[in-house]
Amino acid sequence: MRLARAALVAALGFALPALAYAPAQSLRPLPRPVSTPAPQSPADRVVGPSDPLVVTIRATDLAPSASLRPIYRPGRAEQVTEIRPDQTIVAELPPEETEERGPPRGLLALLTGQNRLNPPGVTAVRVSLRPVERPAGLAAAIRAAETRGTPGRVTQPGLRGALCGQRGIIGDRLERIPGRINGCGIAEPVRVREIDGITLAQPATINCDTAVAVQEWLNDAVIPTVGRYGGGVASLRVVASYSCRTRNNQPGARLSEHATGNAIDIAGIGLVDGSEISVLDDWDGGREGRILRQLHEAACGTFGTVLGPGADRYHRDHFHFDVAAYRNGAYCR
């Protein structure tokens, strides 16, 4: 206990002199240094002990004597003096802005067209550049290139209406189809969807000679021969039309007539009652077989080539019709 009292007395002895010199109130913070305008000359500059917080910033010798004027951007036209018939605008800059600034370099030279349109030293474009027009037929050529090797019925939207000068042939007029190999393609293709009210189960991309021949065969043979059987003819099941390929897809063979739009393959006759006379199933028997044989025979002459199940193994399930011309007449098997 005695030791604690002695320590407290000693501490008070050291603290009392310091408390005697404490300020009567809190100290105010000093203001931050402020900048003043630079004097006109070093002689006018007065900095003394009485103003220790005054800071003066003096400009260096590299500072400009006046504000710099912005450089005109390339292509800016101050005064439009003439509008030519081809809509090219000719612009002139004020005389004071055509002073020499040195030749532009890098990207600026490319943007201003220094070597073609401007006199040396002028960075602004005097004549506005016109975009180059697309070559004639470029869009059509690009669309045609996309159709190479692909049947036009799936690659072109076409223009809907009557085709080939015949009101009964309905479908789309297509653009020229170039072939992916020499000899393929159709100069004036059509995509036939319907002929005289009889629909094609699959639209046929062919030429007009083939379309007109199919129309003639339908009216002269198919409709009269089928008659009222099954309610009459409703549709044709088309299984092939334009295709850039060889005959029967055999390597090294001659190009098929399908490769030029001259041919169409038909595998069945759809009837109103929903049934079908099928080349594959009905060729060899019954009333349906007799109808198919009559239709095969009637097509010979209307078409230059008529092939069916009796021709070869490649045609056992469909009729092949094309409009190729032969010196000795139609070829029918």
Side-chain angles (χ1 to χ4, degrees), residues 241-304:
S241 55
Y242 171 75
S243 179
C244 184
R245 61 173 176 82
T246 59
R247 292 181 178 180
N248 303 318
N249 289 302
Q250 297 301 299
R254 297 176 58 183
L255 281 178
S256 168
E257 293 297 326
H258 286 285
T260 57
N262 281 340
I264 186 171
D265 290 352
I266 297 174
I269 311 295
L271 305 178
V272 174
D273 63 3
S275 62
E276 181 188 67
I277 303 175
S278 169
V279 175
L280 176 63
D281 298 330
D282 301 322
W283 175 259
D284 291 325
R287 182 174 180 178
E288 292 86 353
R290 292 193 297 272
I291 291 175
L292 290 173
R293 292 176 184 274
Q294 293 179 42
L295 298 182
H296 178 276
E297 182 179 355
C300 191
T302 301
F303 295 96

Side-chain angles (χ1 to χ4, degrees), residues 133-149:
E133 295 183 359
R134 291 182 177 182
L138 176 61
I142 293 175
R143 285 195 297 270
E146 294 175 351
T147 68
R148 291 178 180 175

Side-chain angles (χ1 to χ4, degrees), residues 86-285:
D86 60 356
Q87 299 302 312
T88 298
I89 299 178
V90 180
E92 293 186 0
L93 298 177
E96 64 272 13
E97 295 303 321
T98 59
E99 60 185 4
E100 295 287 338
R101 294 196 184 97
R105 297 179 179 179
L107 181 60
L108 182 60
L110 177 63
L111 294 175
T112 59
Q114 177 71 26
N115 297 332
R116 298 188 294 110
L117 299 177
N118 302 334
V122 179
T123 58
V125 176
R126 289 189 176 276
V127 180
S128 59
L129 301 178
R130 295 188 65 188
V132 179
E133 295 183 359
R134 291 182 177 182
L138 176 61
I142 293 175
R143 285 195 297 270
E146 294 175 351
T147 68
R148 291 178 180 175
T150 306
R153 65 177 181 273
V154 297
T155 58
Q156 298 184 35
L159 299 175
R160 192 70 179 268
L163 305 175
C164 306
Q166 304 294 322
R167 296 181 60 182
I169 302 178
I170 306 299
D172 310 305
R173 290 186 296 275
L174 306 179
E175 296 179 359
R176 172 180 172 271
I177 300 177
R180 59 184 175 84
I181 60 176
N182 188 29
C184 289
I186 309 176
E188 297 181 355
V190 293
R191 181 168 51 212
V192 180
R193 301 176 182 275
E194 178 183 317
I195 299 178
D196 293 334
I198 298 175
T199 60
L200 275 60
Q202 173 179 282
T205 300
I206 50 182
N207 58 32
C208 278
D209 290 341
T210 307
V212 172
V214 174
Q215 183 184 39
E216 181 179 343
W217 176 67
L218 277 172
N219 288 300
D220 294 347
V222 179
I223 296 176
T225 302
V226 174
R228 301 301 302 171
Y229 181 71
V233 180
S235 65
L236 295 179
R237 180 157 62 93
V238 176
V239 293
S241 55
Y242 171 75
S243 179
C244 184
R245 61 173 176 82
T246 59
R247 292 181 178 180
N248 303 318
N249 289 302
Q250 297 301 299
R254 297 176 58 183
L255 281 178
S256 168
E257 293 297 326
H258 286 285
T260 57
N262 281 340
I264 186 171
D265 290 352
I266 297 174
I269 311 295
L271 305 178
V272 174
D273 63 3
S275 62
E276 181 188 67
I277 303 175
S278 169
V279 175
L280 176 63
D281 298 330
D282 301 322
W283 175 259
D284 291 325

Side-chain angles (χ1 to χ4, degrees), residues 4-90:
R5 291 179 180 178
L8 177 60
V9 171
L12 292 175
F14 287 108
L16 289 176
L19 293 175
Y21 296 99
Q25 59 184 0
S26 300
L27 299 178
R28 296 186 65 185
L30 296 177
R32 293 183 179 182
V34 296
S35 299
T36 59
Q40 298 295 326
S41 63
D44 298 330
R45 180 172 178 268
V46 178
V47 178
S50 60
D51 54 352
L53 301 180
V54 175
V55 178
T56 302
I57 300 176
R58 177 182 297 179
T60 66
D61 297 336
L62 299 179
S65 58
S67 298
L68 296 179
R69 196 169 186 182
I71 299 176
Y72 287 98
R73 293 182 179 181
R76 185 172 183 266
E78 288 292 332
Q79 297 178 1
V80 178
T81 59
E82 177 185 359
I83 299 180
R84 297 178 180 175
D86 60 356
Q87 299 302 312
T88 298
I89 299 178
V90 180

